Amino acid sequence: MSLSSHFAVWNRLVPMTMNHHGQPYPRPYLEPGANPTWIGRVQPGNYQPAPGNPTSLPRQTWAMPPAPPGRRSWGMLPLLIVGTVLVFGSLLLVVPFLLGNTGITGFVVGFIASLVPLSVVLLTVRLIDRWEPEPKRLLWFAFTWGAAVSIAGTLLIQPVFALAAPTSSEEAFTYFMATVQAPIVEEFTKSLGLLVLILAARKYFDGPVDGVVFAFTIAAGFAFTENILYFGREIASSTDPGTDLVRIFILRGVMSPFAHAVFTGTTGLIMGFAARKWHSGYAVLAFFVGLLPAMFLHNRWNSMGQNFLVEYFVVQVPIFLIAAAGIILLRVAEGKITRQRLLEYARAGWFTPAEVEMLATSRGRRQAVRWASSRGRGNQMKSFIKGATALAFTRQRILSGRDVHVHQHDELEHLRSIPSLRAAVLQ
């Protein structure tokens, strides 16, 4: 099939919805729909047209600017080095603690059983993060922070609260530690990882979806280690370990695999909105504000007693459904942002309107991947989609007015790669 034939099929994947007369897009005076959603709004003073494609538009109208002078950047390396040191240091405290409470057999059984709820949460994170994936290294940092660093922090801070706990009875002491100490200390140590990410990797933490993804990943790590303790302890201390393990697995692995994710997710959501302001002060303020609902939800969960099932279905299930609905709305908003920003690049000559519909809708992406896969170019199409999405969100960062020169450099790099990514699919 000739290249022109491939282009014809390409542009029939999704019907063209704009400029149906075939007229070229003029240079925009004011882009329509510049604020497509409530999470994608930009200040008029920060708005600027997309760089034009010199190969498709008159050079006297558009000229692709040279890349701004770059400066040496260590990227994520310092964060990953510090994170690695913290993780290994934390494991020296966490692993002996787990083994001391579970024994070897309990630890192994608990580890294997904990993989089930962990897989459920991480698969959910993958679905949420599918539209604009975060770097795997940062997700690994988030997971290990939750699984090791936040657990170690909790173990170190717990004794301080134990000193303040009531000693009138063992029941009063246990209740205090579960409803006061656990919500405060655990949410603080988990969310501290979010604060590190928003300050040290702000290029990748720039919206509420990012906040939810990182928060869920940290929470998944924390719950994984905590489940090893709970499951393993049943094996080590119970007179009927099989029955007790099934009971606690149903409670923690089946009924509440997302409990920690929902708690910490509220902090991540609030910090994600603050990240759009792109100021360290807002980030720190959002950290402390976001802790409040997380601690409250955690407290309510740990406070459920004899009426556990009633409160679970009347209170906790609706909270989970509300969280799920909120995540869906955020994903829809991401799609609208992607479509609007790519339309602006289309007017500058980088994409056709049909390509925008293909790249900015779930249906269009599925159709495109299926078509490309039938020609053995599925991976190349996925790379094209990923590159276009990264470009759209880079433009969103530019229009937010933060670190404009840095993101313009990234924008030009993305733009230079688009023709080759497209050609790899069509060849």
Side-chain angles (χ1 to χ4, degrees):
M1 184 181 290
S2 66
L3 183 61
S4 60
S5 299
H6 284 315
F7 268 116
V9 175
W10 178 281
N11 284 303
R12 286 200 303 271
L13 282 172
V14 179
M16 193 174 294
T17 60
M18 294 185 58
N19 199 10
H20 56 277
H21 296 296
Q23 299 297 322
Y25 285 102
R27 180 176 180 174
Y29 174 69
L30 179 63
E31 297 281 3
N35 289 312
T37 71
W38 45 277
I39 70 168
R41 299 192 66 82
V42 298
Q43 296 297 322
N46 294 330
Y47 195 85
Q48 51 187 292
N53 185 349
T55 64
S56 64
L57 296 173
R59 289 184 179 274
Q60 64 270 23
T61 302
W62 290 103
M64 188 166 181
R71 61 174 183 266
R72 182 178 179 83
S73 173
W74 293 100
M76 293 183 283
L77 184 60
L79 174 64
L80 296 176
I81 291 175
V82 172
T84 301
V85 172
L86 285 174
V87 167
F88 279 106
S90 298
L91 289 175
L92 295 176
L93 175 62
V94 173
V95 173
F97 171 78
L98 291 176
L99 290 173
N101 281 271
T102 64
I104 297 294
T105 302
F107 179 86
V108 172
V109 173
F111 183 93
I112 295 173
S114 298
L115 292 174
V116 177
L118 173 66
S119 299
V120 173
V121 178
L122 291 184
L123 283 174
T124 303
V125 170
R126 180 176 174 82
L127 288 175
I128 299 171
D129 196 36
R130 195 172 181 179
W131 191 266
E132 188 219 0
E134 304 303 329
K136 288 183 173 57
R137 287 172 292 178
L138 289 185
L139 292 175
W140 180 247
F141 172 89
F143 175 78
T144 53
W145 180 281
V149 180
S150 60
I151 294 290
T154 298
L155 293 176
L156 291 173
I157 300 174
Q158 272 182 343
V160 177
F161 280 78
L163 294 175
T167 56
S168 56
S169 67
E170 182 178 351
E171 181 181 356
F173 178 86
T174 302
Y175 186 79
F176 176 87
M177 296 299 285
T179 60
V180 178
Q181 178 272 141
I184 293 176
V185 177
E186 292 178 11
E187 294 310 318
F188 175 80
T189 57
K190 285 185 291 181
S191 298
L192 197 60
L194 291 172
L195 185 60
V196 171
L197 283 168
I198 200 174
L199 294 176
R202 62 181 187 173
K203 179 179 177 180
Y204 302 99
F205 194 145
D206 62 350
V209 176
D210 299 336
V212 170
V213 166
F214 288 131
F216 271 38
T217 306
I218 290 172
F222 187 94
F224 174 67
T225 303
E226 192 176 57
N227 282 337
I228 294 174
L229 173 64
Y230 279 90
F231 297 160
R233 198 159 53 188
E234 293 299 326
I235 297 295
S237 61
S238 174
T239 57
D240 187 5
T243 301
D244 288 339
L245 178 61
V246 170
R247 174 185 57 79
I248 197 167
F249 181 83
I250 291 174
L251 176 63
R252 296 185 62 87
V254 177
M255 297 182 68
S256 59
F258 292 98
H260 276 289
V262 172
F263 305 154
T264 312
T266 59
T267 308
L269 180 69
I270 292 172
M271 293 182 70
F273 279 113
R276 293 196 173 277
K277 298 294 184 182
W278 211 243
H279 187 281
S280 298
Y282 283 113
V284 175
L285 177 62
F287 167 74
F288 287 105
V289 172
L291 283 175
L292 299 179
M295 292 175 179
F296 174 77
L297 291 174
H298 199 150
N299 168 271
R300 290 295 84 207
W301 175 268
N302 286 3
S303 297
M304 292 191 295
Q306 294 181 344
N307 296 322
F308 173 81
L309 287 178
V310 174
E311 292 188 51
Y312 177 80
F313 287 106
V314 173
V315 179
Q316 300 301 330
V317 171
I319 289 175
F320 173 77
L321 294 176
I322 291 172
I327 290 170
I328 292 172
L329 288 176
L330 291 174
R331 280 291 306 273
V332 170
E334 277 194 321
K336 290 184 177 181
I337 289 175
T338 303
R339 185 177 185 277
Q340 175 58 33
R341 299 302 167 234
L342 291 183
L343 281 174
E344 293 161 12
Y345 286 116
R347 296 187 184 100
W350 292 100
F351 301 97
T352 68
E355 283 180 325
V356 172
E357 297 301 318
M358 177 184 74
L359 295 165
T361 63
S362 297
R363 179 185 177 187
R365 290 183 174 195
R366 289 193 299 270
Q367 289 178 322
V369 172
R370 280 199 301 268
W371 172 76
S373 297
S374 68
R375 301 179 50 248
R377 315 302 293 175
N379 290 333
Q380 288 78 4
M381 175 61 83
K382 291 177 182 178
S383 295
F384 182 55
I385 292 172
K386 182 177 180 181
T389 307
L391 174 64
F393 279 85
T394 298
R395 176 160 174 77
Q396 180 67 28
R397 296 181 191 112
I398 292 171
L399 299 184
S400 70
R402 59 183 185 268
D403 289 347
V404 173
H405 293 298
V406 173
H407 296 310
Q408 282 179 329
H409 185 277
D410 294 339
E411 176 188 44
L412 296 182
E413 292 299 317
H414 286 309
L415 287 174
R416 289 187 175 94
S417 70
I418 288 298
S420 61
L421 291 173
R422 180 189 289 113
V425 179
L426 294 172
Q427 67 182 12

